[in-house]
């Protein structure tokens, strides 16, 4: 369902009435008009960070989404475009991509009957432009094409002491040296569904690109240095199988320096634990794809799961006390059919086809799930972890959806000009970042830190990095195209290069804070001594 957009309303005013203008009023009015015209000219001829974004929608009139911040968004349809270098514009249904995990059956497949109202309109992938002229990232590299102007990357994203550089803004450049590891690297943990090399992907170029920020260099991943950074700590990946994709990438990246011990306290592989004994460092997998509590359908043959938007999932809340670094991510599971609960009562549903239950906006439920997760972190008294939000990773099916023949067969990254972002993906991204920013402000009172690990824009340019048909379930010979997860090795390794750099920045920040605290303490002692 397309989110409702409400323009800022202007007062209608009264009918025009004659105005008696004296000569003094004429002089004042003339001066006012001259001043206004001058200011208007200066404003509209000077470069501004808050340039207006236009996304033109199917030839219809523009729809301002962010008038308050002068960053109005509209959708430009690519209907009729036949150039294969751009993302396809296939019809999207309310069913999510195939994200079955660990031998579970997607609930919506148990009952595939849907009426016409449950099918999403044919929304095209938009092109993001400035005032109908040039792409946002070309005009002003410091302004993210994914943000409205009031959402900014955290300062810790910059490299060294140069706060101008944003490591999340850049482009993919050729890297002939290839990946850090292969699928045969000892102790490298790769799920068969992301093991593209094992299942015979014929091209290898997808492994030979490297992310290059515009105004700096992203350092190479250093396994030994990373382990020193996290010595004595527990790092938890909380979320779905895409989050686990990043966790397995980290295990493979660290394989060149240390071999971990499996210290899992359950045979369930969705809750794995690896201990790097020499560094007293543990990586923890916390499987919770919806972040909040979910229950199986009420009916024996039903397909509607119950989702409790204001109750966090106990699968991860019971583990919070021993976590030092927490990476939260969630996405594709929210497209599934649900009945939503708040305060123990039904408040709505998604693709439920029930006349007596209100169809709720997907963005509302996404917002509430992240809000509940962040509030849980803030309220946990013994929780002192550094919390990262790993931002939304969009699926990249072309020529159909996962269940209608869609696939992802590209062999090289998109350029900036080719990159497309569907409006609903943009809204999902903005929704989670806004909730993170609220938590960040509230966390300052408790000394808790929240950071944005912003992978969204970089990965929008990597449609070549998905397994497609070169990944399999352990018991299957073939599978539906996977355009949600990422091949390993592949672009997902960049997420951990980002993480490595951000952890270094946190260390530098703590070192600076301790130094300032020491200087202040010396001043206090000198005053006391006097």
């Amino acid at each position: 369902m397309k989110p409702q957009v409400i323009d800022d309303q202007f007062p209608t005013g009264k009918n025009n009435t004659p105005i008696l203008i004296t000569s003094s009023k004429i002089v004042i009015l003339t001066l006012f008009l001259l001043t206004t015209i001058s200011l208007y000219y200066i404003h509209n001829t000077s470069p501004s960070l808050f340039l207006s974004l236009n996304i033109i929608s199917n030839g219809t009139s523009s729809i301002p989404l962010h008038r308050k911040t002068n960053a109005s968004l509209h959708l430009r349809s690519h209907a009729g475009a036949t150039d294969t270098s751009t993302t396809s514009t296939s019809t999207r249904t309310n069913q999510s991509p195939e994200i079955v995990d660990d031998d579970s059956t997607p609930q919506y497949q148990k009952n595939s009957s849907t009426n016409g109202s449950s099918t999403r309109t044919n929304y095209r992938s938009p092109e993001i432009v400035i005032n109908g002229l040039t792409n946002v990232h070309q005009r002003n590299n410091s302004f993210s094409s994914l943000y409205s102007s009031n959402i900014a990357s955290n300062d810790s994203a910059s490299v060294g002491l140069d706060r101008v550089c944003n490591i999340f803004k850049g482009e993919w450049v050729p890297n002939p040296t290839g990946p850090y590891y292969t699928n045969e690297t000892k102790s490298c943990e790769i799920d068969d569904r992301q093991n593209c090399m094992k299942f015979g992907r014929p091209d290898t170029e997808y492994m030979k690109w490297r992310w290059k920020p515009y105004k700096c260099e992203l350092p190479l991943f250093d396994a030994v240095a990373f382990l020193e950074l996290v010595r004595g700590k527990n790092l938890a990946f909380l979320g779905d199988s895409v989050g686990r994709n990043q966790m397995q990438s980290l295990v493979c990246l660290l394989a060149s320096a240390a071999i971990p011990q499996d210290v899992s306290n359950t045979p369930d592989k969705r809750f794995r634990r690896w201990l790097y004994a020499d560094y007293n460092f543990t990586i923890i997998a916390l499987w919770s794809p919806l972040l909040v509590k979910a229950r199986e359908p009420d009916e024996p043959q039903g397909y509607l799961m119950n989702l409790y938007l204001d109750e966090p999932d106990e699968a991860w809340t019971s583990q919070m006390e021993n976590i030092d670094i927490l990476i939260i991510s969630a996405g594709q599971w929210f497209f599934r059919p649900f009945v939503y609960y708040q305060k123990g009562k039904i408040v709505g549903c998604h693709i439920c086809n029930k006349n007596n239950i209100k169809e709720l906006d997907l963005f509302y439920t996404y917002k509430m799930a992240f809000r509940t997760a962040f509030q849980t972190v803030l309220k946990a008294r013994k929780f002192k972890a550094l919390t990262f939000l790993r931002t939304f990773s969009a699926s990249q099916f072309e020529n159909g959806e996962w269940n209608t023949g869609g696939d992802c067969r590209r062999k090289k990254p998109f350029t900036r000009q080719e990159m497309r972002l569907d409006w609903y993906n943009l809204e999902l991204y903005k929704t989670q970042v806004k909730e993170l920013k609220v938590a960040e402000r509230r966390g300052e009172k408790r000394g808790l830190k929240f950071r944005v690990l912003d992978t969204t824009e970089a990965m929008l340019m990597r449609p070549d990095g998905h397994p497609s048909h070169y990944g399999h379930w352990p018991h299957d010979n073939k599978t539906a195209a996977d355009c949600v997860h990422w091949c390993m090795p592949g672009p997902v390794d960049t997420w951990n290069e980002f993480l490595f750099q951000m952890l270094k920045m946190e260390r530098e920040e703590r070192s600076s804070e301790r130094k300032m605290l020491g200087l202040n303490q010396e001043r206090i002692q000198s005053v006391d001594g006097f």
Side-chain angles (χ1 to χ4, degrees), residues 463-506:
D464 59 316
H466 300 287
S468 180
H469 290 280
Y470 300 103
H472 295 255
W473 288 89
H475 55 275
D476 287 343
N477 292 324
K478 59 181 179 179
T479 181
D482 182 353
C483 304
V484 174
H485 301 91
W486 303 94
C487 290
M488 290 177 54
V492 69
D493 297 321
T494 302
W495 300 6
N496 291 311
E497 290 179 324
F498 287 158
L499 176 63
F500 176 43
Q501 187 60 39
M502 295 182 75
L503 290 176
K504 287 196 295 184
M505 286 301 302
E506 291 298 325

Side-chain angles (χ1 to χ4, degrees), residues 134-145:
T134 59
N135 288 354
V136 136
H137 39 69
Q138 291 178 315
R139 181 77 170 266
N140 187 335
N141 290 339
S142 64
F143 184 90
S144 172
S145 58

Side-chain angles (χ1 to χ4, degrees), residues 176-467:
T177 58
Y180 292 96
Y181 59 90
T182 73
N183 64 328
E184 296 182 353
T185 298
K186 186 177 180 180
S187 77
C188 184
E189 181 80 14
I190 302 180
D191 193 308
D192 270 358
R193 286 161 290 171
Q194 286 90 59
N195 200 335
C196 302
M197 299 177 75
K198 176 179 178 180
F199 290 103
R201 178 166 173 169
D203 61 305
T204 59
E205 295 305 309
Y206 69 95
M207 297 184 287
K208 298 178 181 178
W209 294 88
R210 178 164 171 74
W211 182 251
K212 170 65 175 69
Y214 285 127
K215 297 182 180 180
C216 59
E217 294 292 334
L218 179 64
L220 291 169
F221 188 88
D222 185 327
V224 173
F226 184 94
L227 287 167
E228 288 293 349
L229 276 173
V230 295
R231 181 183 287 275
K233 300 186 182 300
N234 295 326
L235 166 62
F237 288 86
L238 166 62
D240 56 19
S241 54
V242 180
R244 187 165 65 238
N245 205 172
Q246 180 185 4
M247 179 194 63
Q248 292 174 346
S249 163
L250 180 58
V251 173
C252 289
L253 288 168
L254 295 175
S256 64
I259 299 176
Q261 303 171 7
D262 189 340
V263 293
S264 304
N265 50 19
T266 172
D268 190 341
K269 292 186 177 181
R270 297 174 301 178
F271 294 89
R272 297 286 295 276
R273 288 173 177 258
W274 287 275
L275 170 64
Y276 294 80
D278 290 343
Y279 297 87
N280 190 25
F281 167 60
T282 305
I283 295 177
I284 304 170
L286 296 176
W287 169 255
S288 182
L290 296 157
L291 305 180
V292 294
K293 186 173 78 173
R295 293 291 181 268
E296 293 297 322
D298 295 327
E299 304 87 359
Q301 300 299 322
Y303 68 99
L304 284 169
M305 292 184 72
N306 300 319
L307 195 63
Y308 300 82
L309 299 175
D310 55 352
E311 299 182 39
D313 185 1
E314 294 178 0
W316 65 273
T317 56
S318 60
Q319 307 294 319
M320 291 181 63
E321 291 184 9
N322 299 319
I323 295 174
D324 301 293
I325 304 169
L326 178 65
I327 300 177
I328 300 178
S329 61
Q332 300 294 336
W333 276 65
F334 285 86
F335 290 100
R336 294 185 173 198
F338 292 106
V339 173
Y340 300 122
Y341 288 78
Q342 283 184 265
K343 297 181 179 179
K345 297 181 179 179
I346 295 176
V347 295
C349 69
H350 180 56
I351 326 178
C352 66
N353 303 315
K354 294 182 181 294
N355 295 329
N356 60 334
I357 303 181
K358 178 183 178 181
E359 182 79 13
L360 271 183
D361 194 323
L362 172 65
F363 307 123
Y364 171 78
T365 58
Y366 198 57
K367 173 183 69 177
M368 291 306 301
F370 275 98
R371 180 172 296 179
T372 297
F374 291 139
Q375 286 180 348
T376 301
V377 168
L378 289 167
K379 292 178 181 178
R381 293 183 178 180
K382 295 183 179 180
F383 184 80
K384 300 294 182 182
L386 168 64
T387 301
F388 290 95
L389 166 67
R390 197 269 299 155
T391 58
F392 183 72
S393 177
S395 62
Q396 294 180 298
F397 290 91
E398 297 188 61
N399 303 315
E401 294 300 319
W402 68 269
N403 58 346
T404 59
D407 205 344
C408 40
R409 300 184 179 182
R410 295 183 182 270
K411 296 182 179 180
K412 64 179 182 178
F414 278 146
T415 64
R416 284 284 181 180
Q417 292 74 19
E418 293 172 319
M419 186 180 71
R420 299 290 181 267
L421 179 65
D422 290 328
W423 67 271
Y424 50 88
N425 287 329
L426 175 63
E427 287 299 317
L428 290 170
Y429 170 88
K430 286 164 38 183
T431 296
Q432 59 179 182
V433 173
K434 286 180 180 178
E435 291 302 316
L436 187 281
K437 290 298 181 182
V438 172
E440 183 181 30
R441 290 194 295 271
R442 294 177 178 175
E444 290 178 355
K445 299 177 181 179
R446 281 195 51 205
L448 294 177
K449 293 184 178 181
F450 293 81
R451 298 289 184 258
V452 179
L453 181 57
D454 195 340
T455 61
T456 303
E457 186 168 350
M459 302 312 282
L460 282 171
M461 290 186 275
R462 291 308 305 271
D464 59 316
H466 300 287

Side-chain angles (χ1 to χ4, degrees), residues 98-100 104-110 336 402:
E98 172 65 11
I99 50 175
V100 184
S104 62
T105 302
Q107 298 297 329
Y108 53 78
Q109 286 186 337
K110 296 180 181 179
R336 294 185 173 198
W402 68 269

Side-chain angles (χ1 to χ4, degrees), residues 49-215:
L49 177 62
F50 304 112
L51 297 171
S52 176
L53 293 171
N54 293 322
I55 305 180
I56 312 303
S57 177
N58 298 324
T60 60
S61 58
S62 58
I63 307 173
L65 294 180
H66 305 287
R67 182 169 293 172
K68 292 181 179 179
T69 59
N70 192 28
S72 57
L73 299 175
H74 314 286
L75 297 176
R76 168 174 291 171
S77 170
H78 295 288
T82 58
D83 186 354
T84 58
S85 66
T86 58
T87 304
S88 71
T89 56
S90 58
T91 302
R92 175 179 286 270
T93 67
N94 270 326
Q95 292 179 337
S96 68
E98 172 65 11
I99 50 175
V100 184
D101 207 85
D102 299 299
D103 302 321
S104 62
T105 302
Q107 298 297 329
Y108 53 78
Q109 286 186 337
K110 296 180 181 179
N111 186 342
S112 59
S113 60
T114 55
N115 58 26
S117 63
S118 67
T119 301
R120 184 175 285 154
T121 309
N122 182 18
Y123 298 116
R124 307 292 187 176
S125 299
E127 176 184 359
I128 302 182
V129 295
I130 298 179
N131 298 324
L133 297 177
T134 59
N135 288 354
V136 136
H137 39 69
Q138 291 178 315
R139 181 77 170 266
N140 187 335
N141 290 339
S142 64
F143 184 90
S144 172
S145 58
L146 301 180
Y147 307 150
S148 62
S149 59
N150 62 339
I151 300 177
S153 296
N154 30 256
D155 289 340
S156 64
S158 55
V159 175
L161 298 177
D162 181 7
R163 297 290 176 178
V164 175
C165 181
N166 182 343
I167 60 173
F168 306 127
K169 299 292 297 176
E171 59 187 348
W172 294 95
V173 297
N175 179 32
T177 58
Y180 292 96
Y181 59 90
T182 73
N183 64 328
E184 296 182 353
T185 298
K186 186 177 180 180
S187 77
C188 184
E189 181 80 14
I190 302 180
D191 193 308
D192 270 358
R193 286 161 290 171
Q194 286 90 59
N195 200 335
C196 302
M197 299 177 75
K198 176 179 178 180
F199 290 103
R201 178 166 173 169
D203 61 305
T204 59
E205 295 305 309
Y206 69 95
M207 297 184 287
K208 298 178 181 178
W209 294 88
R210 178 164 171 74
W211 182 251
K212 170 65 175 69
Y214 285 127
K215 297 182 180 180

